[in-house]
Amino acid sequence: MAKTIFSFKLEDVLKKAYDRRCLSKEETIFLLSLEEEEETNQLFHVARSLRQRYFGDKIFLYGFIYFSTYCRNQCAFCIYRAPNKLCQRHRKTENEIMEIARRLAESGVHLIDLTMGEDPLYYLQDNGFKSLVELIGRVKAETGLPVMVSPGVVPKQVLVALADIDIDWYACYQETHNRQLFRCLRPNQSYDSRLEEKYLARELGLLVEEGILAGVGESRIDVAASMQAMRDLGAHQMRVMSFIPQRGSPMSGWPSPPRIYEMIIIAVLRLLFPDRLIPASLDIDGVEGLQERLKAGANVVTSLIPAHMGLAGVAQASLDIDGGYRSVKGVLPLLEGVGLRAATVEDYGHWIHREKDELVKQEICNGIQK
Ligand code: SAM
Ligand code: MD0
Ligand code: SF4
């Protein structure tokens, strides 16, 4: 199919990416439209070679703590949208969060991702975020690990406070960079505020993760536009997650897309951003889906969740959690099975520090230019 629309030769486009020359929008769409198994295998092969060039055989591992699943929003795709009565919600106490963080750190993860719904508790109370910022600081201090926060869109002063205590990452996914589709997916939310928050985080010296959903009504052109938006933002980590239908949500009847589509997007992300971090999330197909994502060029395992702590995932609230499979121990053999291994905490720390230094340099240059 790709061949009938485009006049590119796959080998030429792949060679161009391998040589680190920028791919055009048309070339990106061409790659996203590949259908033949032989062709997608060539794409994955180049994606893996590029990962090898920048990261060797080392994979980073992220622990995930979804500490509150209460949310004021009504995202059409999400099980935790405010009006949904068909989901189990939890709000972890500070002690519980610290205990979970300690367990994750002991298990060997390289980062702790603290995630929440836009919990009204924080928005409605005066100074509601103050204790949260302190808690996040404690998680970083006591585990000694880098910390990512995924709190949704928070007041600007909260981001400033997080930057002040040297939190490492701000993750916030636009889902799509097609404004019309965004309005359907995230009704009554501001496209611009969500995007601007990521620009602000970067200016404040935080590393930034951007992300898209696959299979929510977007076109290949939209996906290519999202990739350009990730470049414009200067994202340090970029993800794609296949949509999983959720009971009690308006999109409960939507199909989940064929997985090959997500794998192709992962591989194209690797070609466009060879030295950036690209997750293989356990939150879509559990541990069973890990190796195919790694074979497509991902280099971070995300959504490692300790068992029996009353925790949940996002797209897969319970899959593989209480069986203990979403753990460092559970994924190590799977990494080995595809010729990869876990990085060390030090490897990850070096990557983070280099990128943060780079951000500071860029901000100094921007300041001088202004
Ligand atoms: N509440 C915060 C927010 O929305 O930014 C933090 C939660 S965020 C980590 C949840 C992300 O998981 C969404 O941005 C979306 O990309 C993904 N997600 C949510 N529901 C999903 C679903 N049904 N299928 C696949 N991914 C989903
Ligand atoms: C994941 N469930 O990594 C997590 C979540 C939030 N920063 C990450 C979507 O798949
Ligand atoms: Fe809330 Fe985030 Fe779910 Fe949207 S995706 S409903 S903001 S938890």
Side-chain angles (χ1 to χ4, degrees):
M1 197 274 268
K3 289 186 203 97
T4 56
I5 307 174
F6 299 99
S7 53
F8 302 116
K9 261 181 75 189
L10 179 60
E11 288 70 20
D12 294 344
V13 180
L14 292 179
K15 169 91 174 56
K16 194 172 167 184
Y18 187 76
D19 293 342
R20 282 224 68 178
R21 284 178 288 141
C22 243
L23 298 188
S24 68
K25 185 168 132 205
E26 290 71 23
E27 287 166 331
T28 305
I29 298 168
F30 164 71
L31 292 178
L32 290 170
S33 310
L34 294 176
E35 284 181 346
E36 303 295 330
E37 198 180 333
E38 205 189 304
E39 294 180 332
T40 51
N41 281 341
Q42 286 182 58
L43 170 69
F44 298 151
H45 179 77
V46 175
R48 289 194 297 272
S49 316
L50 284 167
R51 178 184 62 203
Q52 177 71 29
R53 190 186 301 169
Y54 291 95
F55 298 97
D57 57 359
K58 292 178 183 173
I59 298 293
F60 299 135
L61 306 173
Y62 286 8
F64 180 59
I65 308 180
Y66 206 170
F67 61 90
S68 170
T69 55
Y70 287 84
C71 188
R72 62 178 183 172
N73 286 331
Q74 308 206 1
C75 300
F77 51 82
C78 181
I79 192 161
Y80 301 117
R81 63 198 306 273
N84 194 6
K85 301 231 171 349
L86 299 183
C87 66
Q88 270 195 323
R89 296 184 196 265
H90 62 259
R91 188 185 278 135
K92 295 289 170 198
T93 65
E94 294 198 7
N95 286 343
E96 285 170 334
I97 296 171
M98 289 311 303
E99 173 58 22
I100 296 163
R102 272 192 289 270
R103 280 202 195 185
L104 276 170
E106 278 163 18
S107 78
V109 301
H110 304 135
L111 166 139
I112 309 273
D113 177 359
L114 289 163
T115 295
M116 65 173 205
E118 291 190 11
D119 187 339
L121 179 77
Y122 298 106
Y123 291 84
L124 297 177
Q125 283 175 3
D126 277 349
N127 241 344
F129 284 99
K130 192 165 172 278
S131 58
L132 180 62
V133 171
E134 281 166 12
L135 170 73
I136 295 169
R138 266 182 71 199
V139 169
K140 181 164 166 110
E142 287 189 30
T143 60
L145 291 177
V147 168
M148 170 182 273
V149 288
S150 315
V153 179
V154 289
K156 288 194 174 50
Q157 64 270 26
V158 176
L159 268 193
V160 173
L162 288 167
D164 278 348
I165 58 166
D166 207 20
I167 292 312
D168 303 276
W169 286 90
Y170 175 64
C172 182
Y173 316 137
Q174 204 72 16
E175 326 298 358
T176 177
H177 295 78
N178 172 330
R179 283 172 184 268
Q180 209 180 338
L181 182 56
F182 179 93
R183 274 198 293 278
C184 301
L185 295 173
R186 288 187 165 269
N188 305 316
Q189 296 175 50
S190 160
Y191 178 96
D192 291 311
S193 304
R194 199 166 173 86
L195 196 57
E196 279 161 17
E197 190 108 324
K198 287 171 266 201
Y199 276 89
L200 173 64
R202 205 178 179 286
E203 261 175 49
L204 292 168
L206 289 157
L207 304 177
V208 173
E209 182 183 15
E210 176 59 295
I212 55 172
L213 283 176
V216 287
E218 78 288 357
S219 66
R220 261 85 172 161
I221 299 171
D222 291 333
V223 175
S226 283
M227 292 178 173
Q228 183 56 45
M230 290 167 175
R231 188 180 294 288
D232 294 344
L233 170 65
H236 301 86
Q237 178 165 301
M238 39 277 275
R239 74 163 57 208
V240 52
M241 287 172 71
S242 294
F243 165 70
I244 305 289
Q246 304 295 331
R247 64 183 184 281
S249 75
M251 292 177 71
S252 60
W254 273 64
S256 194
R259 286 301 175 272
I260 185 71
Y261 178 46
E262 181 188 324
M263 303 315 136
I264 290 173
I265 297 176
I266 289 177
V268 176
L269 283 172
R270 176 60 65 207
L271 264 57
L272 296 184
F273 308 106
D275 61 352
R276 305 289 85 186
L277 306 186
I278 301 173
S281 175
L282 297 174
D283 210 15
I284 305 160
D285 299 315
V287 282
E288 207 171 284
L290 180 57
Q291 290 188 327
E292 61 175 332
R293 288 169 174 81
L294 294 170
K295 284 191 211 157
N299 71 325
V300 187
V301 180
T302 67
S303 217
L304 292 160
I305 304 178
H308 307 299
M309 303 289 288
L311 288 167
V314 178
Q316 294 285 1
S318 59
L319 180 68
D320 286 346
I321 299 176
D322 282 346
Y325 303 112
R326 282 210 215 177
S327 60
V328 173
K329 233 167 113 188
V331 300
L332 288 182
L334 295 167
L335 299 185
E336 216 175 289
V338 287
L340 298 166
R341 66 191 164 111
T344 62
V345 170
E346 289 71 31
D347 292 330
Y348 187 64
H350 286 146
W351 195 91
I352 295 272
H353 286 126
R354 205 190 53 219
E355 292 300 323
K356 285 171 100 178
D357 286 350
E358 197 52 44
L359 261 184
V360 173
K361 276 189 224 150
Q362 284 170 16
E363 282 314 312
I364 293 172
C365 288
N366 291 344
I368 293 168
Q369 279 164 12
K370 277 179 199 162

PDB file of all heavy atoms in Angstrom, residues 153 174 182 186-196:
ATOM      1  N   VAL A 153      -2.111  18.608  34.495  1.00  0.00           N
ATOM      2  CA  VAL A 153      -1.787  20.034  34.406  1.00  0.00           C
ATOM      3  C   VAL A 153      -1.958  20.645  35.800  1.00  0.00           C
ATOM      4  O   VAL A 153      -3.050  20.621  36.357  1.00  0.00           O
ATOM      5  CB  VAL A 153      -2.706  20.741  33.382  1.00  0.00           C
ATOM      6  CG1 VAL A 153      -2.394  22.225  33.312  1.00  0.00           C
ATOM      7  CG2 VAL A 153      -2.543  20.099  32.003  1.00  0.00           C
ATOM      8  N   GLN A 174       0.111  14.678  25.469  1.00  0.00           N
ATOM      9  CA  GLN A 174      -0.896  15.433  24.716  1.00  0.00           C
ATOM     10  C   GLN A 174      -1.921  14.478  24.102  1.00  0.00           C
ATOM     11  O   GLN A 174      -3.011  14.858  23.797  1.00  0.00           O
ATOM     12  CB  GLN A 174      -0.174  16.263  23.635  1.00  0.00           C
ATOM     13  CG  GLN A 174      -0.924  17.497  23.165  1.00  0.00           C
ATOM     14  CD  GLN A 174      -0.939  18.602  24.207  1.00  0.00           C
ATOM     15  OE1 GLN A 174      -0.177  18.601  25.165  1.00  0.00           O
ATOM     16  NE2 GLN A 174      -1.836  19.565  24.044  1.00  0.00           N
ATOM     17  N   PHE A 182      -8.088  16.261  19.950  1.00  0.00           N
ATOM     18  CA  PHE A 182      -7.803  16.518  21.376  1.00  0.00           C
ATOM     19  C   PHE A 182      -9.088  16.889  22.105  1.00  0.00           C
ATOM     20  O   PHE A 182      -9.348  16.406  23.214  1.00  0.00           O
ATOM     21  CB  PHE A 182      -6.759  17.643  21.505  1.00  0.00           C
ATOM     22  CG  PHE A 182      -6.417  17.992  22.939  1.00  0.00           C
ATOM     23  CD1 PHE A 182      -5.345  17.395  23.589  1.00  0.00           C
ATOM     24  CD2 PHE A 182      -7.174  18.928  23.658  1.00  0.00           C
ATOM     25  CE1 PHE A 182      -5.024  17.715  24.921  1.00  0.00           C
ATOM     26  CE2 PHE A 182      -6.873  19.255  24.979  1.00  0.00           C
ATOM     27  CZ  PHE A 182      -5.795  18.639  25.608  1.00  0.00           C
ATOM     28  N   ARG A 186     -10.065  14.836  25.260  1.00  0.00           N
ATOM     29  CA  ARG A 186      -9.917  15.519  26.554  1.00  0.00           C
ATOM     30  C   ARG A 186     -10.883  16.701  26.596  1.00  0.00           C
ATOM     31  O   ARG A 186     -10.461  17.857  26.561  1.00  0.00           O
ATOM     32  CB  ARG A 186      -8.459  15.990  26.758  1.00  0.00           C
ATOM     33  CG  ARG A 186      -7.483  14.846  27.027  1.00  0.00           C
ATOM     34  CD  ARG A 186      -6.095  15.331  27.402  1.00  0.00           C
ATOM     35  NE  ARG A 186      -5.299  14.269  27.976  1.00  0.00           N
ATOM     36  CZ  ARG A 186      -5.226  13.982  29.281  1.00  0.00           C
ATOM     37  NH1 ARG A 186      -5.869  14.708  30.159  1.00  0.00           N
ATOM     38  NH2 ARG A 186      -4.479  12.985  29.716  1.00  0.00           N
ATOM     39  N   PRO A 187     -12.204  16.423  26.671  1.00  0.00           N
ATOM     40  CA  PRO A 187     -13.189  17.504  26.624  1.00  0.00           C
ATOM     41  C   PRO A 187     -13.018  18.491  27.784  1.00  0.00           C
ATOM     42  O   PRO A 187     -12.628  18.084  28.881  1.00  0.00           O
ATOM     43  CB  PRO A 187     -14.543  16.780  26.717  1.00  0.00           C
ATOM     44  CG  PRO A 187     -14.233  15.405  27.195  1.00  0.00           C
ATOM     45  CD  PRO A 187     -12.822  15.098  26.815  1.00  0.00           C
ATOM     46  N   ASN A 188     -13.262  19.742  27.494  1.00  0.00           N
ATOM     47  CA  ASN A 188     -13.161  20.831  28.489  1.00  0.00           C
ATOM     48  C   ASN A 188     -11.756  20.994  29.062  1.00  0.00           C
ATOM     49  O   ASN A 188     -11.593  21.499  30.168  1.00  0.00           O
ATOM     50  CB  ASN A 188     -14.149  20.630  29.650  1.00  0.00           C
ATOM     51  CG  ASN A 188     -15.556  20.485  29.135  1.00  0.00           C
ATOM     52  OD1 ASN A 188     -15.969  21.233  28.245  1.00  0.00           O
ATOM     53  ND2 ASN A 188     -16.284  19.509  29.636  1.00  0.00           N
ATOM     54  N   GLN A 189     -10.752  20.542  28.346  1.00  0.00           N
ATOM     55  CA  GLN A 189      -9.373  20.806  28.777  1.00  0.00           C
ATOM     56  C   GLN A 189      -8.701  21.659  27.703  1.00  0.00           C
ATOM     57  O   GLN A 189      -9.027  21.538  26.523  1.00  0.00           O
ATOM     58  CB  GLN A 189      -8.590  19.500  28.962  1.00  0.00           C
ATOM     59  CG  GLN A 189      -9.148  18.629  30.081  1.00  0.00           C
ATOM     60  CD  GLN A 189      -8.431  17.289  30.174  1.00  0.00           C
ATOM     61  OE1 GLN A 189      -7.221  17.209  30.217  1.00  0.00           O
ATOM     62  NE2 GLN A 189      -9.204  16.208  30.234  1.00  0.00           N
ATOM     63  N   SER A 190      -7.787  22.490  28.141  1.00  0.00           N
ATOM     64  CA  SER A 190      -7.136  23.381  27.182  1.00  0.00           C
ATOM     65  C   SER A 190      -5.929  22.695  26.540  1.00  0.00           C
ATOM     66  O   SER A 190      -4.998  22.273  27.234  1.00  0.00           O
ATOM     67  CB  SER A 190      -6.682  24.662  27.899  1.00  0.00           C
ATOM     68  OG  SER A 190      -5.680  25.304  27.145  1.00  0.00           O
ATOM     69  N   TYR A 191      -5.995  22.615  25.216  1.00  0.00           N
ATOM     70  CA  TYR A 191      -4.868  22.059  24.456  1.00  0.00           C
ATOM     71  C   TYR A 191      -3.609  22.865  24.750  1.00  0.00           C
ATOM     72  O   TYR A 191      -2.539  22.318  25.012  1.00  0.00           O
ATOM     73  CB  TYR A 191      -5.203  22.123  22.959  1.00  0.00           C
ATOM     74  CG  TYR A 191      -4.101  21.627  22.046  1.00  0.00           C
ATOM     75  CD1 TYR A 191      -4.116  20.323  21.572  1.00  0.00           C
ATOM     76  CD2 TYR A 191      -3.054  22.465  21.645  1.00  0.00           C
ATOM     77  CE1 TYR A 191      -3.106  19.852  20.738  1.00  0.00           C
ATOM     78  CE2 TYR A 191      -2.049  22.010  20.821  1.00  0.00           C
ATOM     79  CZ  TYR A 191      -2.080  20.706  20.368  1.00  0.00           C
ATOM     80  OH  TYR A 191      -1.077  20.255  19.549  1.00  0.00           O
ATOM     81  N   ASP A 192      -3.764  24.196  24.722  1.00  0.00           N
ATOM     82  CA  ASP A 192      -2.581  25.057  24.861  1.00  0.00           C
ATOM     83  C   ASP A 192      -1.987  24.966  26.263  1.00  0.00           C
ATOM     84  O   ASP A 192      -0.771  24.902  26.407  1.00  0.00           O
ATOM     85  CB  ASP A 192      -2.944  26.508  24.514  1.00  0.00           C
ATOM     86  CG  ASP A 192      -3.231  26.637  23.027  1.00  0.00           C
ATOM     87  OD1 ASP A 192      -2.406  26.156  22.227  1.00  0.00           O
ATOM     88  OD2 ASP A 192      -4.290  27.171  22.654  1.00  0.00           O
ATOM     89  N   SER A 193      -2.851  24.965  27.293  1.00  0.00           N
ATOM     90  CA  SER A 193      -2.296  24.890  28.653  1.00  0.00           C
ATOM     91  C   SER A 193      -1.505  23.605  28.842  1.00  0.00           C
ATOM     92  O   SER A 193      -0.444  23.591  29.472  1.00  0.00           O
ATOM     93  CB  SER A 193      -3.393  24.914  29.713  1.00  0.00           C
ATOM     94  OG  SER A 193      -4.177  26.045  29.554  1.00  0.00           O
ATOM     95  N   ARG A 194      -2.050  22.516  28.300  1.00  0.00           N
ATOM     96  CA  ARG A 194      -1.370  21.224  28.469  1.00  0.00           C
ATOM     97  C   ARG A 194      -0.001  21.241  27.785  1.00  0.00           C
ATOM     98  O   ARG A 194       0.982  20.751  28.332  1.00  0.00           O
ATOM     99  CB  ARG A 194      -2.260  20.095  27.905  1.00  0.00           C
ATOM    100  CG  ARG A 194      -1.880  18.735  28.412  1.00  0.00           C
ATOM    101  CD  ARG A 194      -2.935  17.678  28.138  1.00  0.00           C
ATOM    102  NE  ARG A 194      -2.430  16.374  28.503  1.00  0.00           N
ATOM    103  CZ  ARG A 194      -2.490  15.839  29.715  1.00  0.00           C
ATOM    104  NH1 ARG A 194      -3.080  16.474  30.687  1.00  0.00           N
ATOM    105  NH2 ARG A 194      -1.968  14.648  29.958  1.00  0.00           N
ATOM    106  N   LEU A 195       0.040  21.833  26.607  1.00  0.00           N
ATOM    107  CA  LEU A 195       1.322  21.883  25.889  1.00  0.00           C
ATOM    108  C   LEU A 195       2.282  22.877  26.539  1.00  0.00           C
ATOM    109  O   LEU A 195       3.472  22.589  26.723  1.00  0.00           O
ATOM    110  CB  LEU A 195       1.053  22.271  24.423  1.00  0.00           C
ATOM    111  CG  LEU A 195       2.179  22.028  23.435  1.00  0.00           C
ATOM    112  CD1 LEU A 195       2.605  20.558  23.443  1.00  0.00           C
ATOM    113  CD2 LEU A 195       1.737  22.422  22.022  1.00  0.00           C
ATOM    114  N   GLU A 196       1.727  24.037  26.909  1.00  0.00           N
ATOM    115  CA  GLU A 196       2.591  25.086  27.497  1.00  0.00           C
ATOM    116  C   GLU A 196       3.248  24.628  28.796  1.00  0.00           C
ATOM    117  O   GLU A 196       4.363  25.006  29.110  1.00  0.00           O
ATOM    118  CB  GLU A 196       1.773  26.362  27.753  1.00  0.00           C
ATOM    119  CG  GLU A 196       1.588  27.195  26.495  1.00  0.00           C
ATOM    120  CD  GLU A 196       0.431  28.178  26.620  1.00  0.00           C
ATOM    121  OE1 GLU A 196      -0.014  28.435  27.756  1.00  0.00           O
ATOM    122  OE2 GLU A 196      -0.037  28.665  25.564  1.00  0.00           O
TER     123      GLU A 196
END
